[in-house]
Amino acid sequence: MEILFYIVPVLMIAIASCAVVVVIRRSVRVSRAWSGGLTAEARCLRTYTTTSGGGDTSVRTTLHHVYEFTTRDGRGVRFEEHGGPGTTLEGDIVTVHYAADRPEHATARPPAQGKLVAGTGCLLAFLGTFILFAVGFMVVTYTMFSAVGDFRGP
């Protein structure tokens, strides 16, 4: 039974660590697109929403856009981006930023490096605190079980 007090926090740490990797990858991908120096006009092919949650939790709706553009070397690229502006509709033309070596990682978001750093930093701080809490929980649990083990009689 005692093992559950270690397995659950380890699983939570693993999930939070995966989230850290996802946050950093997304931030690097968007930053590379902005600093890639290449822009193109893209057409919004489709917009749609997804919902998650419900029941005992609040419902969250996410707006997605599917864009298509042609790179400078004539290659057609289609990509999907979530969380874009609600004012962009199907058929609209937007400016996308991309790196020449990875045009499929383009973004239609306007460059805002400070906002990206702040958002990424806040998410990483939250996830780091979560991981530290889980590690602290395991240390306290170990200490408590060790102390109880010392007081058990024959």
Side-chain angles (χ1 to χ4, degrees):
M1 184 66 175
E2 173 182 332
I3 194 75
L4 287 176
F5 289 99
Y6 300 112
I7 291 176
V8 172
V10 166
L11 289 174
M12 292 168 54
I13 289 169
I15 291 169
S17 298
C18 289
V20 165
V21 171
V22 168
V23 166
I24 291 172
R25 276 187 181 168
R26 187 199 68 198
S27 179
V28 167
R29 185 175 291 161
V30 171
S31 183
R32 280 187 186 159
W34 286 339
S35 64
L38 299 175
T39 60
E41 287 189 347
R43 179 176 300 279
C44 179
L45 301 177
R46 181 171 182 236
T47 61
Y48 65 96
T49 58
T50 56
T51 56
S52 59
D56 292 338
T57 61
S58 62
V59 176
R60 180 181 170 159
T61 303
T62 304
L63 181 62
H64 299 261
H65 294 90
V66 178
Y67 298 105
E68 186 173 55
F69 69 97
T70 304
T71 62
R72 290 190 181 176
D73 60 359
R75 190 172 100 184
V77 177
R78 183 179 291 187
F79 72 97
E80 180 178 331
E81 190 169 50
H82 70 277
T87 56
T88 302
L89 305 172
E90 291 181 23
D92 285 354
I93 303 294
V94 297
T95 300
V96 294
H97 300 267
Y98 68 97
D101 58 336
R102 298 228 183 230
E104 63 276 0
H105 293 162
T107 182
R109 295 180 183 162
Q113 199 69 30
K115 189 176 177 182
L116 179 66
V117 169
T120 302
C122 288
L123 280 171
L124 291 178
F126 171 77
L127 291 169
T129 303
F130 183 83
I131 290 170
L132 286 175
F133 175 78
V135 169
F137 178 81
M138 289 191 313
V139 168
V140 168
T141 300
Y142 175 77
T143 305
M144 289 175 57
F145 280 121
S146 295
V148 168
D150 292 341
F151 291 112
R152 288 187 183 162

